Amino acid sequence: MPFVFGPFLPVSEQDADAFNDAFSDELDSAFTSSIGCCDFCYADFQEKWPDVSFRRDGGDMLSIDALWAVDEARLAGAWWPLEYSTLRRLVRCPRCQRYGPANIYLFEHRISDVEAMEEDIATLSALGAATPFLILEHPFAQTVLAEIRAEALRVSASVQDRPMYRARRTLDVAKQGQDPTNPATYGPAPAPHTGEGRFNHAGAPMLYLANSEAVAAAELGVPGEDCLVGRVTILPPLKILDLIDADGDAVDSELFNALANSALLMAPRTGEGWVKRQYLFSRFVADCARSAGFDAIRYGSTKDRNGVNYVILSPPEDLATLMRLDGVSQIACPDPAPRY
């Protein structure tokens, strides 16, 4: 009997557990999804998984009213009416274990042990803030290093047959007296002017590129400002660590999918300070990739939900050996796509 609102009966915790297990099974059957989070833990979910809904991993999050979801599920016939009217009020979020959320957000991760991964994210974030040079002591960091080295044995260098793009603020190019038609204008910043980036350490330049003009411009993070976008061709074959479309065995595919959507790699840039703690683990991944013999990393844009970025880990001093400038466009930097 749906839409029964009382009276209420005393029930045991085991009764509530059984009801919630049945409810989760119904959600999985109807939506091919488990409960990703609820009103109480939505912000924490968003912080730990900043890219998971922004992009396409497992599909978009679906928000539904918790009581509506219960009444639409096939549960009323499995309990006596008075039991059902009580238990429907005891829906619990399996992520935070709190009773009574007004809304639940359905999502299915492409990794199996989400709870363990979230614990690793919290531990590594705290470790990185307190003692960043000890990060390799953590078992998860050791696993990442081992899997990147294993991936390096499976991946071969390949020719990049599509153009890539590098954007500069038009005002910066003019202030520095640079030639917009010179390929060096679209190279990495000089070492003394290189702060900490998502994958590079301070004073260690890397070359960040994108798969389209719009994505390259959006990555500048200055909406509305004019920018110059160079279209370049990468000349030598590159050995690329792909963090978007992992194509290895089940272990590394799960691991790389988790990294590609978690705060460990995809935390949005915050502030303009020199030290960026949110980039600590992504810089660790870059160190692992470079030591394993990778030339570049392919990863998702934090500004465009369909955007793809590349970072060349050790760009040569003579850029002519790496890339050819094929054209320059002037466009306005677009607004970033909303994330949640």
Side-chain angles (χ1 to χ4, degrees):
M1 295 176 61
F3 307 108
V4 176
F5 294 98
F8 303 120
L9 297 177
V11 294
S12 69
E13 187 173 351
Q14 288 76 17
D15 292 332
D17 289 343
F19 186 83
N20 277 283
D21 288 343
F23 179 52
S24 294
D25 290 342
E26 285 295 301
L27 288 176
D28 187 39
S29 175
F31 297 97
T32 317
S33 176
S34 58
I35 299 177
C37 58
C38 71
D39 297 310
F40 301 122
C41 61
Y42 182 87
D44 183 68
F45 182 95
Q46 179 182 355
E47 182 179 353
K48 287 187 170 65
W49 302 100
D51 229 42
V52 81
S53 182
F54 174 68
R55 299 188 71 78
R56 55 189 176 275
D57 189 62
D60 294 329
M61 294 185 73
L62 174 65
S63 171
I64 59 177
D65 179 89
L67 292 181
W68 177 87
V70 172
D71 290 330
E72 288 296 308
R74 298 170 298 178
L75 299 177
W79 278 268
W80 291 106
L82 294 184
E83 290 179 312
Y84 179 74
S85 68
T86 302
L87 291 169
R88 71 188 290 276
R89 295 283 180 174
L90 296 176
V91 172
R92 184 174 60 213
C93 173
R95 183 174 185 273
C96 68
Q97 300 299 308
R98 293 185 65 174
Y99 287 103
N103 299 285
I104 55 177
Y105 301 85
L106 304 182
F107 189 82
E108 187 67 27
H109 280 282
R110 288 167 60 188
I111 58 176
S112 54
D113 198 344
V114 178
E115 184 177 351
M117 181 65 185
E118 290 195 354
E119 290 178 359
D120 287 332
I121 292 172
T123 302
L124 286 165
S125 298
L127 183 64
T131 53
F133 293 107
L134 298 181
I135 195 170
L136 194 53
E137 289 190 348
H138 192 279
F140 181 77
Q142 294 172 6
T143 300
V144 170
L145 174 59
E147 288 301 322
I148 289 177
R149 286 175 173 171
E151 183 74 355
L153 300 176
R154 293 186 286 263
V155 175
S156 301
S158 60
V159 175
Q160 304 306 300
D161 55 2
R162 295 183 179 181
M164 297 187 189
Y165 300 85
R166 167 80 169 168
R168 296 283 311 281
R169 295 171 66 186
T170 303
L171 185 60
D172 288 344
V173 172
K175 282 183 177 179
Q176 296 171 21
Q178 295 175 305
D179 180 3
T181 64
N182 187 339
T185 300
Y186 304 93
H193 301 288
T194 300
E196 291 181 347
R198 187 170 298 278
F199 291 100
N200 69 276
H201 299 288
M206 293 182 181
L207 182 60
Y208 291 86
L209 302 166
N211 69 329
S212 73
E213 287 184 353
V215 174
E219 289 293 340
L220 293 178
V222 286
E225 288 196 24
D226 288 335
C227 62
L228 296 165
V229 183
R231 185 178 75 255
V232 303
T233 295
I234 300 298
L235 302 176
L238 297 179
K239 188 170 186 173
I240 298 177
L241 174 62
D242 194 337
L243 296 177
I244 298 178
D245 298 311
D247 190 25
D249 58 31
V251 175
D252 74 70
S253 293
E254 266 211 6
L255 178 69
F256 295 151
N257 281 325
L259 286 177
N261 292 285
S262 75
L264 293 176
L265 246 64
M266 301 309 294
R269 180 172 58 194
T270 56
E272 298 298 329
W274 188 265
V275 177
K276 297 181 175 63
R277 298 294 185 191
Q278 71 272 23
Y279 290 167
L280 171 81
F281 199 82
S282 53
R283 296 199 305 271
F284 167 75
V285 169
D287 288 346
C288 294
R290 187 160 44 184
S291 71
F294 285 102
D295 303 307
I297 295 175
R298 181 175 182 259
Y299 64 102
S301 167
T302 63
K303 300 296 194 299
D304 185 309
R305 65 178 66 247
N306 297 311
V308 175
N309 288 334
Y310 296 82
V311 56
I312 309 297
L313 300 174
S314 300
E317 291 188 11
D318 183 5
L319 279 181
T321 64
L322 174 68
M323 68 183 197
R324 180 183 70 239
L325 181 63
D326 294 328
V328 178
S329 302
Q330 187 162 4
I331 64 174
C333 177
D335 293 324
R339 299 187 66 85
Y340 270 79

